[in-house]
Amino acid sequence: VSLLPYPPRVREAVVSTQSTGELEITDPRDMVYVFADDKYIGKIYRAVNKKISLPTFKKLGLLVENMGRINYGPFLHDYKGLVGDVKLGDETVSKGTDWNIWSLPLNNTHLAEFNDLRSNPGPASLMKGLFTIHGRPADTWVKMSNFDKGVIFINGRNIGRYWPVAGPQKHLYVPSVFLKSGQNEMIMFEVSKMPSSTGGLFVELVDHLDVGSCEESPEIDKSIFDY
C-alpha cells in the first residue's frame, strides 16, 4: 500500500440505477482495487490490465494505490491517481458523477478500533495481532507467504510493504530495537487477497532473510520499462 507522503485514495460513487458490465480505467496509476456494493471484485494494474467485469451493483468503490514513481526515461512525469477516464461500458462515469474521495495516510493506525475476528475478513482489511518475546529481542524477519500485498506496522513503526508474488524479497526485516521483551503489536493492511480460511491468518517471525529470485512474475510486465 502506498507509504507517506503519497497515501492511497478511496473513490466511491453511487450510480443512479443498477449497473453491470465491464469497468475500464484508461490510465490507472498504479493499482486499483475494485469493490461493488462493498464486495471485493478484483484489481486493475497499469502494467497488466485496464478492464474488469462487474456483477450487478449500485455502489462502486475504488481503492487507488500509488506504488512509487518512475524517475527516468519517457515515464519521468509519472502522475498518480486515476489519470484517465473511468468507464462502465460505453459510459464515462468519471465525468458527471458525484464521487466521494478520501485518503488513507496510514500514519494513525494506532487510533483504529478493532473487533474480535469471527470470520475471514475480505481484502482491504486492517488487522492487529499480538506476539510475546521472552528474553532479549533479536533481529527478526517477517515471512508473509500467506498474504498477497500490503504493509506492516510493528509497535507503531512502519516496517514496509510486502508483495511476495512480485518479489524478489520475500521477508521483511525488523531490527531488534523495534521490538521489546514482553508483548508486541503487529498491524497489517492487506489490500489484495486473504487466506481461504481463518486458519491461514498468521505470519511467521523467522531468524533469516529470503531475498527470493529474479524469476519472471505474472504480476509484472517488464515491457513498461523498455524504451
Side-chain angles (χ1 to χ4, degrees), residues 4 9 11 14 30 32 44 58 106 119-120 126 136-137 145 170 172-173 207 216 224:
L4 290 174
R9 304 277 177 173
R11 294 171 178 255
V14 177
D30 297 294
V32 182
I44 290 176
K58 182 69 175 177
L106 297 180
S119 61
N120 203 24
L126 195 67
R136 183 178 179 179
S145 55
K170 306 296 184 182
L172 291 181
Y173 174 57
D207 61 358
E216 294 292 317
I224 67 170

Side-chain angles (χ1 to χ4, degrees), residues 47-101:
V48 177
N49 65 310
K50 305 291 178 64
K51 299 179 180 181
I52 191 171
S53 296
L54 295 177
T56 301
F57 71 95
K58 182 69 175 177
K59 182 173 67 174
L60 175 67
L62 305 174
L63 173 61
V64 185
E65 178 188 2
N66 159 32
M67 295 168 57
R69 300 184 187 277
I70 301 171
N71 60 0
Y72 64 90
F75 304 103
L76 183 61
H77 301 290
D78 191 23
Y79 301 106
K80 296 301 173 178
L82 300 181
V83 180
D85 290 329
V86 178
K87 298 181 178 181
L88 282 174
D90 296 328
E91 181 184 2
T92 301
V93 296
S94 52
K95 300 176 181 178
T97 302
D98 291 330
W99 291 83
N100 295 318
I101 304 174

Side-chain angles (χ1 to χ4, degrees), residues 33-42 59-63 123-124 191:
Y33 304 93
V34 181
F35 298 80
D37 293 332
D38 298 324
K39 181 181 179 181
Y40 179 70
I41 303 301
K59 182 173 67 174
L60 175 67
L62 305 174
L63 173 61
V191 294

Side-chain angles (χ1 to χ4, degrees), residues 1-8 66 104-108 153 158:
V1 111
S2 182
L3 306 180
L4 290 174
Y6 308 112
N66 159 32
L104 298 175
L106 297 180
N107 63 349
N108 55 356
F153 303 83
N158 192 328

